[in-house]
Amino acid sequence: MKKLVMIGNGMAGVRTIEEILKLSPNQFEITIFGQEPHPNYNRIKLSNILQGDASFEEIIINPLDWYKENNIQLFTGESVNKIDTERKFVTTDQGREVEYDDLIIATGSNSFILPIPGADKMGVTGFRDINDCEMMIKSAEEYKKAVVIGGGLLGLEAARGLLNLGMKVDVVHLMPSLMERQLDPIASSLLKAELESQGMRFLMENETVEIIGDERVAGLRFKDGSFARADLVVMAIGIKSNTSVARDSGIYVNRGIVVNDFMETSAPNVYAVGECAEHREIVYGLVAPLYEQGKVLAERICGKEAAPYEGSVTGTQLKIAGVDLYSAGEIFEDGTTKSIMVYNEFEGIYKRVLIRDNRVVGIVLYGDTKDSTRLFRMLSKKEDITGVSIFESQCSAEGGGGDIASMPNDELVCGCNGVTKGAIVEAIKTQGLTTLDQVSHCTNAGRSCGRCKPMVNDILAYTLGDQFDAAAAQKTSICGCTTISREELIAEIKEKGLSSVKEVMNVLEWNNEEGCTKCRPAINYYLGMIHMDEYKDDRDSRLVNEKMHANIQKDGTYSVVPRMYGGVTTAADLKKIAEVAEKYEVPLVKLTGGQRIGLFGVKKEDLPSMWKELDMPSGYAYGKTLRTVKTCVGAQFCRYGTQDSMSLGIELEKKFERLDTPHKVKMGVSACPRNCSEAGIKDIGFVGIDGGWEIYIAGNGGVDLRAGDLLATVKTEAEVMEMTGAYLQYYRENANYLERTSKWVERVGLEHVKEVLANEETRKALNERMDQTLKKYIEPWNEAIESESIKDKYYAVHTVKAGE
Amino acid sequence: MITTKTMTLAANYSDLPVRAGYAVNINDIEIALFKVTNGRVYAIENHSPHPKGGVLTEGLVSGEYVYCPVYDWKISLVDGKVQAPDTGQVKTFQVEVEGDNVYIII
Ligand SMILES: Cc1cc2nc3c(=O)[nH]c(=O)nc-3n(C[C@H](O)[C@H](O)[C@H](O)COP(=O)(O)OP(=O)(O)OC[C@H]3O[C@@H](n4cnc5c(N)ncnc54)[C@H](O)[C@@H]3O)c2cc1C
Ligand code: HEM
Ligand code: SF4
Ligand code: FES
């Protein structure tokens, strides 16, 4: 396979990789380096984070799992600082060297920081990444007064965010009107009036010459000698392509890394895409053109016949509540243009379209932007507008539907991702889509700035006609096979007494008769949770590891991890493990992360006989269930120990082993706060103190590292068992399938969980349901050994007998 | 041009579990048989087209599709095509059922 390396893990680069995977999933071994310690997130939505209506989680576009699923080697928090274009390898700041056959530079840009005295003081920042955002949010907790330098798109969005965070905000602007590159003076003054009424203060026509203060910024000095006080300064005067790696490696750089119409740089097999690239002397700073570049580059790299990239016309809008604004193309009249204008000062609506030679060449809309997609189509397609009415009659009586019907199929609906109405309608029809989520997933529409979502929703409504269910379209369904959510599913199962996976899918009219890998395991779990000991598990609705009771390894072999309660074993058991490992020539014997022994690389057909010879219960190292209880040595031997951690750990593991849970659950028990079992990063952790136990919940030692929160301090081991049973059962009944305890507790809140579990009656009821559920489990390895049909169906290798 | 096809006995119909895979090795080709809910039997090469893919017999079966157990690609048992957004194709084999004998035509 060819080696493809990408420098930069941002929006344009990762989109290019998505396009490449679509065209040719098996052609490349892909490695990505990203300076930021995160997977690819939606930078556009940083404004929404600052304005308080999105969390970082929500703006991640490609979660770490996506990289894993696509076999992409990702190095975050690591930057490339040298490219050897002769010998074709890159070197990182951590000294790593990686060879490439093809290299993509997608390093984006940096905030432009004014080169004035004091610009390096604490409290001065750009607005580019999540780090900047966090710094601003933190400053707002401590300080009162912010100054934003720059009255463009970024500056105004930053200023709005800081207002939301409770700061007083001044915006300093060099020019006499705001967003002067996108708006004409009338639109600009309407915008200014609106923002002033929202509480922004403007210092127009001011040039900042110095930032003053001791260590931290205290204010700004302007060219005319005046001052403004500030505890926080945000510089949003522009961006500067991030070209240093390319330049230092001898690649031709002007304002950006210079590329041709196929995104090729001056060095062979090295490409550039995104804000770092300069194409026909233009560096773009909006995602739409960058995604177009990505498409062309993907085709080129995959060796497909690619149409050249010939540049883009872009449209701008501002993401501030209460401001509806759109601009594209030229702004100012010259001798050869004519304007068509609507100006309704009373309602604050202003529209102006610039026409040259019967064609639209510029658009400014303020207060009402519903014509924007239609006008932008006319502009970008250079349509002749003779006889066409530019602004639709003001009072079109029908609502959304009518507009959609009259919209031509090639009209662009999602500007960011270049998706037309036709493409959306076709996806809805051919793939049976019914929710906004599904449409976004299939077509990319709405995956960037999100402004097209209302329109996509209208198209969905129009295309589905009577079948459209407004409420259903908005919510997040379990998977593409249905529109119902988890809550509805649970309610329906209880209400209608549904008792099998098949029945659920039938009665609730799944559009995919036998479901998929998302819904079937989830339904199976929910049924088991609701019907406790009455439900017969549907083994074929479980995914491979749980179905086989062994972890599948990357080469199709399996691993065997027997229980070793509390990590405590005996010489006799060790001998047995050793003998089995020898007899079956197990390629790897290793201590797992969970204090037990794993035998790796086992053939499927050897599983039952190995289990039999081991004669030990399954350790469930593969399941959505209790994995292990790690324990420290504790009071039996350790001089610091205040409690018997090994006994408690063993008791917990024996009680809760095999229990189905929404996701895996790990526990740790330590006998003193030195915490040798690392109980602080477990789903449930127990720490012995003088005269009792502390119970920590929602810790996680995996991808989302999180320290546990103290749930309760109790005196006896009986109380530990009671609290743990109640907590686990509450998690089982309320979390979404595949939601770890850490995520779940963050979602519902620690206080809420504490409140529920404070009630003794509630705890008692939860424990009763837990105990009833626990009755149903039988040891799965033993079951397999004893059942010919299980052995035959899941573990046998087949020989054929000629037909009787 | 004349091509010869061989009918090879692959399994007994009654031995095939419903909605699960069944691996057989014929002429050194690993083949996965699937008996789906409607009783029909399909045969495809027992190897996921994913670059790091492994066997398909252990995948979840839904209607006339199987999901790659390791990478979750959805693969048609009828024509072997990988479903969007992923792409690729697995080799399929024609199946004949006569009485309790399941033959594969290679
Ligand atoms: C607050 C804000 C609001 C915005 N709003 C909009 C909007 O409404 N509409 C719109 O279309 N656009 C908007 N944009 C612009 C849009 O986000 C960018 O155009 C887009 O992110 C550019 O993509 P990129 O891949 O070129 O760069 P980036 O997304 O910046 O990605 C580049 C990545 O490369 C990494 N990198 C750099 N150098 C190295 C190195 N040497 N080694 C490894 N990694 C490296 C960087 O850390 C960065 O993560 C907005 C931007 C911001 C900041
Ligand atoms: C295919 C994917 C994975 C496989 C095959 C796998 C396998 C294993 C195995 C066999 C163990 C030993 C467990 C035991 O003894 O019970 C283990 C431990 C562990 N795994 Fe994974 N794992 C996988 C994915 C993950 C993921 C996604 C995370 C993080 C979210 C994770 C975090 C851990 C941790 C923290 C431990 C140590 C457990 C402890 O000390 O309590 N693993 N893994
Ligand atoms: S946690 Fe405390 S009691 Fe347990 S082994 Fe460590 S030091 Fe000893
Ligand atoms: S227009 Fe930005 S996501 Fe569709």
Side-chain angles (χ1 to χ4, degrees):
Chain A
M1 254 191 279
K2 287 216 300 190
K3 295 191 193 67
L4 173 61
V5 172
M6 187 163 82
I7 312 176
N9 185 33
M11 297 184 73
V14 175
R15 171 57 68 89
T16 308
I17 299 290
E18 289 187 351
E19 299 280 0
I20 291 174
L21 290 171
K22 255 192 235 162
L23 289 175
S24 179
N26 307 335
Q27 197 175 345
F28 296 101
E29 192 180 309
I30 302 173
T31 307
I32 302 180
F33 290 97
Q35 204 164 57
E36 296 180 71
H38 306 288
N40 178 33
Y41 60 88
N42 192 340
R43 205 172 293 288
I44 302 179
K45 297 264 181 181
L46 288 178
S47 305
N48 304 59
I49 290 202
L50 204 59
Q51 292 177 28
D53 37 57
S55 69
F56 185 56
E57 227 92 291
E58 290 170 68
I59 72 165
I60 289 178
I61 305 178
N62 303 80
L64 288 171
D65 281 347
W66 175 85
Y67 295 86
K68 236 194 260 163
E69 281 158 19
N70 289 293
N71 294 304
I72 295 170
Q73 172 87 280
L74 172 66
F75 296 100
T76 56
E78 184 162 346
S79 43
V80 170
N81 44 25
K82 187 90 187 138
I83 307 165
D84 187 327
T85 55
E86 296 267 305
R87 286 160 56 209
K88 291 189 152 182
F89 67 90
V90 298
T91 315
T92 73
D93 58 349
Q94 305 189 10
R96 197 189 306 273
E97 292 186 353
V98 177
E99 291 181 355
Y100 65 83
D101 297 308
D102 288 305
L103 177 72
I104 300 177
I105 309 178
T107 45
S109 46
N110 297 319
S111 301
F112 181 66
I113 300 291
L114 285 174
I116 51 174
D120 54 353
K121 286 195 194 310
M122 251 171 58
V124 181
T125 181
F127 184 19
R128 181 70 195 169
D129 56 28
I130 187 70
N131 228 350
D132 299 339
C133 249
E134 278 165 0
M135 185 277 203
M136 288 189 241
I137 291 169
K138 210 143 162 216
S139 295
E141 283 166 11
E142 240 176 288
Y143 301 98
K144 285 266 112 23
K145 173 70 194 293
V147 170
V148 175
I149 307 180
L153 195 90
L154 270 187
L156 297 177
E157 288 184 6
R160 178 64 253 182
L162 293 167
L163 281 179
N164 285 21
L165 292 170
M167 295 189 89
K168 282 178 74 108
V169 185
D170 291 352
V171 176
V172 179
H173 196 52
L174 189 60
M175 307 303 261
S177 56
L178 296 175
M179 293 181 69
E180 75 283 348
R181 294 218 309 275
Q182 290 94 13
L183 300 182
D184 63 9
I186 299 181
S188 185
S189 65
L190 284 168
L191 174 65
K192 182 154 167 269
E194 165 63 29
L195 294 176
E196 274 169 344
S197 79
Q198 293 190 9
M200 251 177 243
R201 224 171 59 114
F202 291 98
L203 306 172
M204 306 299 282
E205 296 182 74
N206 264 312
E207 183 178 346
T208 314
V209 290
E210 188 183 355
I211 292 177
I212 45 186
D214 296 331
E215 243 175 61
R216 190 177 177 94
V217 49
L220 294 81
R221 199 164 57 78
F222 301 114
K223 195 165 186 187
D224 65 3
S226 60
F227 286 89
R229 217 180 56 70
D231 309 311
L232 171 72
V233 173
V234 180
M235 295 218 194
I237 45 240
I239 52 173
K240 176 166 104 271
S241 289
N242 191 351
T243 56
S244 50
V245 203
R247 177 177 290 123
D248 295 349
S249 310
I251 294 168
Y252 179 52
V253 169
N254 184 28
R255 265 201 322 131
I257 304 168
V258 176
V259 294
N260 64 13
D261 288 359
F262 295 100
M263 313 316 290
E264 295 164 329
T265 68
S266 66
N269 296 89
V270 179
Y271 309 84
V273 67
E275 286 187 350
C276 63
E278 175 181 326
H279 172 263
R280 299 193 186 175
E281 284 166 33
I282 300 177
V283 174
Y284 293 95
L286 292 168
V287 293
L290 308 184
Y291 287 171
E292 285 180 45
Q293 296 177 350
K295 217 172 185 140
V296 173
L297 174 53
E299 285 170 351
R300 186 65 164 190
I301 279 193
C302 293
K304 306 256 152 80
E305 188 99 3
Y309 175 70
E310 299 183 306
S312 314
V313 192
T314 55
T316 312
Q317 54 129 30
L318 192 63
K319 301 185 295 294
I320 293 186
V323 179
D324 207 3
L325 166 167
Y326 181 84
S327 139
E330 298 175 30
I331 312 297
F332 296 105
E333 300 218 7
D334 57 23
T336 64
T337 54
K338 293 204 159 52
S339 293
I340 303 174
M341 262 183 12
V342 171
Y343 186 15
N344 176 341
E345 198 175 359
F346 174 64
E347 288 181 38
I349 293 173
Y350 171 71
K351 310 178 180 185
R352 198 181 69 172
V353 171
L354 277 186
I355 310 287
R356 181 187 297 120
D357 301 332
N358 289 341
R359 285 169 174 75
V360 175
V361 294
I363 308 164
V364 172
L365 303 173
Y366 187 90
D368 171 7
T369 55
K370 78 171 185 310
D371 293 325
S372 61
T373 50
R374 204 169 46 83
L375 293 172
F376 185 70
R377 183 196 71 225
M378 295 178 182
L379 181 143
S380 52
K381 299 223 147 123
K382 306 195 170 73
E383 287 173 20
D384 190 321
I385 56 154
T386 316
V388 175
S389 80
I390 283 293
F391 301 115
E392 310 239 278
S393 61
Q394 293 297 299
C395 44
S396 97
E398 330 95 290
D403 292 348
I404 303 290
S406 64
M407 184 192 264
N409 266 334
D410 62 350
E411 186 153 320
L412 201 59
V413 172
C414 175
C416 291
N417 296 287
V419 187
T420 59
K421 174 194 166 194
I424 294 173
V425 170
E426 179 175 329
I428 294 170
K429 285 191 175 148
T430 59
Q431 311 204 32
L433 311 180
T434 52
T435 70
L436 194 56
D437 244 24
Q438 292 169 339
V439 176
S440 287
H441 199 79
C442 285
T443 63
N444 276 337
R447 271 182 81 199
S448 304
C449 74
R451 102 178 110 117
C452 58
K453 281 187 177 171
M455 173 98 61
V456 177
N457 202 50
D458 285 349
I459 295 177
L460 189 62
Y462 165 75
T463 311
L464 293 180
D466 291 346
Q467 292 161 3
F468 179 68
D469 175 349
Q474 296 289 343
K475 73 182 182 213
T476 38
S477 59
I478 299 174
C479 70
C481 304
T482 177
T483 57
I484 73 174
S485 66
R486 174 202 182 269
E487 277 61 39
E488 287 165 321
L489 173 61
I490 302 237
E492 293 274 6
I493 291 176
K494 288 185 178 164
E495 208 172 284
K496 303 204 162 92
L498 306 177
S499 63
S500 74
V501 175
K502 195 167 167 205
E503 191 181 11
V504 167
M505 296 191 297
N506 260 336
V507 175
L508 303 180
E509 296 180 342
W510 245 236
N511 61 36
N512 185 2
E513 224 176 293
E514 295 191 336
C516 71
T517 46
K518 290 201 176 58
C519 58
R520 259 170 58 193
I523 300 171
N524 188 44
Y525 169 77
Y526 294 134
L527 285 167
M529 180 268 285
I530 292 166
H531 299 307
M532 298 188 266
D533 56 339
E534 290 154 22
Y535 176 65
K536 174 157 177 352
D537 191 73
D538 179 9
R539 190 162 178 165
D540 288 330
S541 287
R542 290 184 179 257
L543 300 185
V544 56
N545 289 351
E546 297 197 328
K547 183 160 75 180
M548 303 297 288
H549 284 286
N551 270 332
I552 192 165
Q553 314 291 326
K554 62 184 210 185
D555 60 355
T557 61
Y558 288 85
S559 61
V560 171
V561 183
R563 271 272 174 239
M564 198 174 271
Y565 296 95
V568 178
T569 184
T570 61
D573 277 353
L574 288 175
K575 271 193 211 151
K576 244 192 317 193
I577 292 175
E579 275 159 17
V580 168
E582 254 181 9
K583 175 167 171 195
Y584 291 91
E585 296 174 343
V586 170
L588 175 72
V589 182
K590 185 189 181 304
L591 298 183
T592 71
Q595 286 190 348
R596 48 220 189 142
I597 294 175
L599 306 176
F600 297 85
V602 174
K603 290 200 276 303
K604 173 172 97 170
E605 56 272 24
D606 286 342
L607 288 172
S609 40
M610 280 178 67
W611 295 339
K612 185 162 184 200
E613 283 165 50
L614 282 169
D615 189 24
M616 295 173 189
S618 164
Y620 275 85
Y622 45 78
K624 314 272 176 263
T625 172
L626 175 63
R627 292 287 179 87
T628 66
V629 183
K630 286 173 83 165
T631 67
C632 78
V633 184
Q636 287 190 31
F637 288 90
C638 174
R639 63 195 161 121
Y640 299 111
T642 53
Q643 296 285 353
D644 188 350
S645 47
M646 285 189 294
S647 302
L648 178 62
I650 292 170
E651 189 180 345
L652 284 162
E653 192 161 351
K654 290 209 154 144
K655 169 149 189 188
F656 296 113
E657 67 175 323
R658 306 200 257 274
L659 178 69
D660 287 300
T661 42
H663 207 308
K664 57 187 169 189
V665 171
K666 299 174 179 178
M667 300 188 193
V669 189
S670 291
C672 86
R674 287 170 193 76
N675 213 341
C676 295
S677 75
E678 296 151 350
I681 49 165
K682 297 285 176 261
D683 295 272
I684 315 181
F686 307 87
V687 177
I689 50 172
D690 248 336
W693 293 95
E694 289 174 340
I695 305 178
Y696 291 85
I697 58 168
N700 191 308
V703 175
D704 301 296
L705 193 61
R706 183 181 192 277
D709 295 312
L710 184 64
L711 172 70
T713 304
V714 298
K715 293 209 177 60
T716 65
E717 296 191 358
E719 285 172 89
V720 167
M721 297 306 286
E722 193 237 12
M723 187 54 93
T724 306
Y727 171 68
L728 260 183
Q729 181 66 13
Y730 192 61
Y731 165 59
R732 296 183 70 239
E733 292 177 4
N734 289 282
N736 296 326
Y737 186 66
L738 293 189
E739 186 173 36
R740 286 293 292 267
T741 57
S742 51
K743 296 271 168 160
W744 172 67
V745 168
E746 285 210 337
R747 181 164 64 83
V748 301
L750 175 68
E751 287 314 310
H752 166 79
V753 176
K754 276 186 174 170
E755 220 169 90
V756 170
L757 297 182
N759 183 323
E760 200 185 327
E761 285 299 307
T762 313
R763 285 204 307 274
K764 187 155 166 272
L766 285 165
N767 267 306
E768 278 167 11
R769 294 199 289 276
M770 168 65 82
D771 290 340
Q772 193 181 342
T773 308
L774 284 170
K775 279 198 297 205
K776 77 173 163 194
Y777 293 103
I778 42 175
E779 210 301 297
W781 288 358
N782 200 41
E783 186 190 16
I785 295 165
E786 294 190 342
S787 156
E788 285 309 320
S789 67
I790 291 180
K791 261 192 287 196
D792 188 57
K793 179 161 177 187
Y794 296 105
Y795 305 104
V797 180
H798 300 104
T799 48
V800 192
K801 307 181 287 288
E804 278 94 78
Chain B
M1 200 171 75
I2 300 167
T3 49
T4 36
K5 289 197 168 179
T6 355
M7 254 170 79
T8 310
L9 182 65
N12 295 111
Y13 186 80
S14 52
D15 285 346
L16 294 182
V18 181
R19 281 214 304 196
Y22 184 101
V24 285
N25 185 306
I26 296 176
N27 304 341
D28 279 340
I29 307 173
E30 271 280 324
I31 292 176
L33 295 173
F34 291 91
K35 189 199 276 181
V36 302
T37 308
N38 65 22
R40 237 174 257 144
V41 179
Y42 295 101
I44 63 176
E45 189 174 351
N46 193 11
H47 188 79
S48 168
H50 187 281
K52 297 200 182 161
V55 296
L56 292 172
T57 30
E58 268 87 297
L60 183 138
V61 183
S62 166
E64 291 172 329
Y65 297 94
V66 61
Y67 289 82
C68 162
V70 187
Y71 295 99
D72 205 27
W73 281 13
K74 185 178 182 184
I75 300 164
S76 163
L77 295 172
V78 180
D79 57 12
K81 286 223 171 76
V82 177
Q83 307 297 298
D86 306 304
T87 52
Q89 190 165 18
V90 201
K91 196 161 178 195
T92 53
F93 302 92
Q94 207 182 318
V95 175
E96 291 283 344
V97 181
E98 282 175 14
D100 196 36
N101 289 345
V102 177
Y103 296 96
I104 294 178
I105 298 165
I106 298 182

